[in-house]
Amino acid sequence: MAAPSYATKPQVAGHYGLRIFVALVCVFLVAPIFAIIPLSFSSGTFLSYPMPGFSLRWYEEVLAPRPWMFTLRNSLFVAIGATLFSTTLGTLAALAMARKNLRSLPVINAFLLSPMIVPLIITAVGLYFFFAQLGLTNSFTGLIIAHTALCLPFVLVTVAATLEGFDGTLVRAAQSLGAPPLTVFRRVILPIISPGVASGALFAFAISFDEVVVAVFLAGPTQRTLPKQMFSGLRENIDPSILAMATLLVVMATGLMIVAGLLKRRSERMRGLSG
């Protein structure tokens, strides 16, 4: 975008300087990702440039049943379960907190958002000792519960932001016409906040799918997730198969970002914030 015609020379310099700085920051953040993608097509067994040749052997390896597809299936199972629970609980919590008539609202809000603030390693250690007493370690149940607790704050924040622009008179109008609470939620509230709920669900899925610290503490051999497998591979035997899987995850993350962007634009249109 060009600088305004009425801008002075220092303002024009600042205008273009800011854009150059932003571009350099973007390159700094994205360059490592583009550096690893070509190596995933290397025919060699080491991560080095120049590449000895082009090959798809590492993609064939990650598509084998074990260990990559086995861990991918576990990650999808845990992420989908955590997404369903965290989206449901986070949406209900956001609706309750939107009433703003709770006495302990700041305390409840701080408690629900604490997994975003407390260092993850401390949360993981605490969950390990607590779940060990309940027999939930080395189980999918414990892993899904732990990931639900980690994902819930992100759903809560996303849905709460959507509710900020919600017109409460619609609810009162529906109630005055005799609609029961469940019908009001299903026919009035949910359609309006659905972009925020869907965005929160996407965040929850991405966070659970990418989580490794809690999985290291709670997951046993049969619950090994994809991030844990990649972490173990980096420690024990680095080869381009890790980069092949990383490239596939980059493609998946890009798709999720595009969907989240489309949902955000739809939410803004529904709230009248954009044309």
Side-chain angles (χ1 to χ4, degrees):
M1 180 183 293
S5 57
Y6 53 82
T8 62
K9 288 186 178 179
Q11 289 175 332
V12 172
H15 177 84
Y16 288 109
L18 177 62
R19 277 151 181 75
I20 293 173
F21 176 75
V22 172
L24 291 175
V25 170
C26 292
V27 170
F28 176 78
L29 294 175
V30 177
I33 297 176
F34 285 108
I36 67 168
I37 291 176
L39 286 176
S40 67
F41 295 98
S42 173
S43 61
T45 56
F46 298 101
L47 308 181
S48 62
Y49 284 110
M51 294 165 26
F54 178 85
S55 174
L56 295 176
R57 56 179 290 197
W58 304 113
Y59 286 89
E60 295 175 356
E61 184 168 320
V62 299
L63 294 177
R66 284 182 181 269
W68 294 106
M69 288 298 104
F70 171 74
T71 55
L72 176 62
R73 186 170 62 249
N74 285 346
S75 286
L76 289 174
F77 178 73
V78 173
I80 291 173
T83 300
L84 291 175
F85 287 116
S86 63
T87 302
T88 303
L89 296 175
T91 301
L92 294 176
L95 289 171
M97 297 178 69
R99 295 176 178 269
K100 301 185 184 302
N101 57 358
L102 297 175
R103 288 185 178 180
S104 305
L105 182 61
V107 177
I108 296 174
N109 191 36
F111 176 75
L112 292 177
L113 296 181
S114 59
M116 297 177 68
I117 303 169
V118 178
L120 194 54
I121 184 67
I122 295 178
T123 302
V125 172
L127 287 172
Y128 173 77
F129 285 108
F130 180 62
F131 283 7
Q133 299 293 325
L134 303 176
L136 292 175
T137 55
N138 297 335
S139 70
F140 282 113
T141 303
L143 200 54
I144 290 175
I145 293 175
H147 280 196
T148 298
L150 296 177
C151 298
L152 190 148
F154 295 90
V155 178
L156 174 62
V157 170
T158 307
V159 178
T162 306
L163 287 170
E164 287 293 328
F166 183 77
D167 187 359
T169 57
L170 298 174
V171 174
R172 290 191 289 273
Q175 291 172 337
S176 67
L177 294 174
L182 185 59
T183 302
V184 173
F185 173 75
R186 185 170 55 87
R187 302 291 295 273
V188 178
I189 300 176
L190 187 58
I192 295 176
I193 67 171
S194 58
V197 175
S199 297
L202 283 176
F203 280 118
F205 180 84
I207 290 167
S208 175
F209 190 83
D210 195 42
E211 201 285 323
V212 63
V213 178
V214 171
V216 168
F217 280 85
L218 297 182
T222 57
Q223 298 88 35
R224 178 179 286 254
T225 60
L226 184 59
K228 185 178 180 181
Q229 175 65 29
M230 297 179 73
F231 181 69
S232 300
L234 291 173
R235 288 191 308 169
E236 299 165 2
N237 181 27
I238 299 178
D239 62 48
S241 64
I242 297 176
L243 302 186
M245 180 53 74
T247 301
L248 296 177
L249 294 180
V250 168
V251 173
M252 187 185 75
T254 303
L256 289 177
M257 289 176 59
I258 293 174
V259 173
L262 294 175
L263 290 172
K264 181 182 178 183
R265 292 183 59 182
R266 183 172 183 267
S267 176
E268 290 176 347
R269 284 199 302 270
M270 294 180 69
R271 294 160 57 190
L273 299 180
S274 63

